[in-house]
Each structure stands twice: as C-alpha cells, then as structure tokens.
Amino acid sequence: MRKIICLVAMLLMVSNMVGQYVPTTDNLQARKDFEGFRFGIFLHWGIYSEFAQGEWYLNEGKLKQEEYQKAASCFYPILFDANQWVKAIKDSGAKYITFTSRHHDGFSMWKTKESSYNIVDATPFKRDVLGELSKACKQEGIRLHLYYSLLDWMREDYPLGSTGHNTGRTLKPDYNHYFQFMENQVRELICDYENVEGIWFDGYWDHNNDKTPFDWRMKEFYDYIHTLKPRCLVGNNHHITPIDGEDFQMFERDLPGQNTSGFSPNQTVSQLPLEMCQTMNGMWGYKVADQNYKSSRELITLLERAASKGSNLLLNIGPQPNGELPAVALERLKDIGIWMKLHGESIYNTTRGEEYKWGVTTRKGQTIYLHVLEDTDTVELPLTKKPRNVSTPFSYNKRSQKLKITNAKQFDIIQVDL
Ligand code: FHN
C-alpha cells in the first residue's frame, strides 16, 4: 500500500514538474462513473435564502454587509432534514448532488476553522448542514460534489473584481493570504468529509475585465487538491475551454456547444466529461417571487437533449429558509423519477448521439435510443445496415440506408438494436 502511495506521489510530482496534469487511475474511474450518472441535483443554499431574493442579493447594493450578516444570527432552518432531501433526490433518479459549500457572500455551510462566519459558529442552528448532508448521501449511495466560490463579497483580502462593490467592506487585497484561506478551506472539505468527490469552482469570471490579467493560480490549486485526494473531480465554471488540471467541463444554462446564454462565446467542447447546469425556475438561490418553474416535461426533454450531447444535467433547486425543498421542486423531482424508472436505460451510461428534426438519439454499445421530441409520427434514421430489432414496427430501405418508423408519437423512446 505504502509503495502505491509513494508511486502516486512521485507521479504527481513528475507531472507537476513537466506542468502537465496526469489523472490517476482512480480519477479516471471517477470520471467514468460521473459520466454514467447523467443526472444530478444542484443545491444553492445559504443565509441568502432568508431574504428570499436569490443568492446575489448582497450584490444589489440594497444593504451593507453588517446588515446582511444579521441573517446568520437568525438562520434557523427548523425543517431541514438531510435524509428527506437526499431521499427525494434519489427517487428522482439523480445520482449525485452538488451543494453550495460557500457562495459569493462568503458564508460557509460547514464548521470551518478558517472563519467564524459559518453555519455552526454564526447561527443559532449550530448544526453542520454539510456534515448531515454528507452522511445522508453516504447512506443512500448518492455522490457528493461541492460548489465553492472563488470570489468573495465580504473578505477584505479578496482582491475586488467586477462584482460586490457595494457591500461596504474594507479592502486590503492580499491574494496570497486569500489563496491560502481557500486552500485551507478546500482541504477541510475534501479531507474532513470523506465522501466529497468533486469540487465545482465558480467566480473566476469576476476578474475577466482586469486591466492586468489576474492570476488565480488555478493549476496550483488543482494540483493541491489532486495531491490530497487524487480521485477528486475538479471543474471550474469559468466559461472558457478547460484549463490543465480539470477533470470535467461545465456549461451554464446551455447545452455543450451552444451559446444561447452568452456566457461562453469562446468555450470549445473538450473530451472531458461534460455537465450542463440549469435552474428549475429562474434563479439559483431561493427567490419567493420566482414561481416560473419549467414544466416536468420541459425538464425531461432537457435531460434527454443533454444526454444526447454526451452531457450530464445538473438541475438546480433553491431550498427555502425553513430548510425544506420548495413543493413545486419536489413535484418536479417526483415526475422526473417516474419517467426515469421507465426510461432511465436510455439516459444512464449512454454516450452522445445525434440531433434530427424529430428529436435526438443516445447510444449504449449496439443500441440506439430514439427520443422523439417533436410532434410527428414519422421518424427516419440513417443506418448502414438493417437493425436486428426495433421496439416498434419499422421498415428499412437498403438503397437509401434509412430506417423508417411511421407510428411514432411525441415523447416516445424507441429502441434500435444494431
Ligand atoms: O454567480 C453564480 C450564480 O449565483 C450561480 O451560482 C451560477 C451557477 O452556475 N454560477 C454563477 C454565475 O455564473
């Protein structure tokens, strides 16, 4: 065992020396498992849920940090039950959770030694929410990833970027100090919570407009994480093509390769496992007035489209300040779960497919799944050979090399065995 550890450490040192990240076998396996999951739930939860205006409320300039921080002194989510959350999420067919350990407001949702501005030391609730969630995930076999904000609207050592200008904090920028703080915190997250298997960085874009390019020292950070826990998957929502050291690539509010959100005009799709994140309503954190939820059918279609692009869907829920998941979100989870029980085969562990005018395909070995997304009864699929079996009546034209189905219905899943 010691020999293996030494070998891994040496490999990591060598890879650092030549500057190129070499993922370990464990890491490659973790990526493969992650890719197979295809569906995860994003949870944006923090003291901001009390204002019920979304997670960017502090940035709006309506109140200063002293006032904002008072939300911690009365944060008491009496109905929080990690087991209930995880159960509802598991029943939806999701295989992993990405939880906001610390968002841009700098509040830590675990008992960190690095700052007293945390869920245990600064609230009357005094419970380690992350610890409870981690335990529940472990029990239910749900994988746990953590969101971690690189930018901070509260700390004076964080060098001011393009956001968080009106929070009233004093500025004593010292990135070395702040970087050390982040490293220490992330070490706690991945070492003290044994089943944390991924870190989801965000906020990198805060320094996109600096006159002198800002050096986040990301590669150094990634190497640090991989030295501590080589299998830990690292991703960064920087909206650019992956940087060396990352294990998966993410897309915000967009399918890989699209840029409808405008976030990622220059982001090319890499060979890494892919993940797109999207909100169920409009906002990430709880916003009471935002009841504009996407329908269950829209969300399922998104999941099918994401899988067809070879991507996971990380679907967001903003838990309420009382600790419950909103009722509408629970309904959506339930509906998706019913669908996944019937059709999960066409989503989990599939590889990317193609897009046609009637819908999309996903693939698993010699099986192609046709996801009919448009209102049509005719589905045509180019195929070089007549398939062995199709789950519905079909014809095959040798000359045009096309499979034709004429009795399809919108939202059908048709299985084609080659
Ligand atoms: O500013 C954050 C936002 O609050 C949310 O966390 C999303 C999730 O992708 N990421 C940032 C915006 O890019």
Side-chain angles (χ1 to χ4, degrees), residues 42 44 48 55-56 100 103-104 147 151 153 200-203 205 237 239 250-253 263 277-279 283-285 316:
F42 213 170
H44 272 72
Y48 45 78
E55 77 289 357
W56 272 62
T100 46
H103 207 270
H104 310 331
Y147 171 109
L151 77 86
W153 291 331
W200 206 102
F201 284 116
D202 200 1
W205 33 261
N237 187 35
H239 305 149
M250 53 187 80
F251 298 82
E252 183 171 344
R253 295 187 191 273
F263 282 133
C277 58
Q278 182 55 288
T279 48
M283 201 72 194
W284 302 95
N316 184 72

Side-chain angles (χ1 to χ4, degrees), residues 20 39 93 100 157 181 222 235 241 258 294 311 364 406 413:
Q20 189 75 28
F39 181 37
T100 46
D157 55 357
F181 158 78
Y222 300 160
T241 303
Q258 291 187 336
K294 295 164 191 75
S311 168
K364 195 183 285 172
T406 52
I413 310 283

Side-chain angles (χ1 to χ4, degrees), residues 123-379:
T123 75
F125 195 50
K126 296 198 179 309
R127 276 163 53 187
D128 183 356
V129 158
L130 174 59
E132 292 181 28
L133 195 58
S134 137
K135 206 167 144 208
C137 283
K138 200 169 168 190
Q139 260 166 26
E140 292 295 335
I142 291 289
R143 189 193 180 107
L144 182 60
H145 285 190
L146 296 178
Y147 171 109
Y148 187 84
S149 176
L150 293 164
L151 77 86
D152 192 299
W153 291 331
M154 290 280 199
R155 288 181 64 96
E156 49 185 41
D157 55 357
Y158 172 71
L160 188 69
S162 55
T163 63
H165 288 218
N166 299 312
T167 64
R169 71 184 142 168
T170 30
L171 294 173
K172 289 190 196 148
D174 180 349
Y175 191 63
N176 287 337
H177 191 261
Y178 180 68
F179 186 77
Q180 187 62 57
F181 158 78
M182 290 199 294
E183 275 198 342
N184 294 347
Q185 278 213 315
V186 170
R187 189 191 59 237
E188 288 180 352
L189 292 173
I190 63 175
C191 295
D192 297 353
Y193 303 91
E194 174 216 349
N195 60 328
V196 168
E197 303 290 345
I199 295 290
W200 206 102
F201 284 116
D202 200 1
Y204 185 94
W205 33 261
D206 199 37
H207 281 283
N208 278 359
N209 301 326
D210 289 13
K211 281 204 189 90
T212 319
F214 187 78
D215 182 9
W216 284 99
R217 294 163 53 192
M218 281 327 304
K219 178 64 169 53
E220 188 184 334
F221 208 161
Y222 300 160
D223 287 344
Y224 177 71
I225 295 173
H226 287 133
T227 306
L228 291 171
K229 200 186 245 187
R231 68 171 191 276
C232 185
L233 299 187
V234 176
N236 193 332
N237 187 35
H238 41 42
H239 305 149
I240 54 174
T241 303
I243 303 172
D244 185 34
E246 294 172 6
D247 300 297
F248 64 104
Q249 182 179 12
M250 53 187 80
F251 298 82
E252 183 171 344
R253 295 187 191 273
D254 257 322
L255 291 166
Q258 291 187 336
N259 181 32
T260 55
S261 65
F263 282 133
S264 37
N266 305 316
Q267 186 172 195
T268 53
V269 181
S270 74
Q271 295 301 311
L272 294 176
L274 310 175
E275 183 192 64
M276 79 156 292
C277 58
Q278 182 55 288
T279 48
M280 268 198 192
N281 47 357
M283 201 72 194
W284 302 95
Y286 180 63
K287 184 171 179 183
V288 66
D290 180 4
Q291 291 302 322
N292 193 17
Y293 277 80
K294 295 164 191 75
S295 71
S296 297
R297 185 56 246 181
E298 281 173 309
L299 297 174
I300 292 166
T301 296
L302 185 62
L303 180 59
E304 292 173 279
R305 288 196 183 279
S308 171
K309 292 274 181 200
S311 168
N312 290 7
L313 170 65
L314 182 64
L315 185 59
N316 184 72
I317 300 175
Q320 296 172 169
N322 67 357
E324 286 182 308
L325 302 181
V328 188
L330 286 170
E331 271 171 36
R332 298 295 184 270
L333 289 181
K334 207 168 154 205
D335 291 346
I336 300 173
I338 293 171
W339 188 91
M340 282 296 251
K341 277 214 174 71
L342 289 171
H343 303 296
E345 182 68 10
S346 69
I347 300 288
Y348 299 124
N349 293 304
T350 54
T351 49
R352 60 172 302 147
E354 301 292 336
E355 190 172 354
Y356 299 97
K357 57 176 193 286
W358 45 263
V360 297
T361 61
T362 51
R363 185 159 182 164
K364 195 183 285 172
Q366 291 304 298
T367 300
I368 301 181
Y369 298 97
L370 317 187
H371 300 252
V372 184
L373 299 176
E374 299 302 326
D375 186 10
T376 176
D377 47 20
T378 305
V379 164

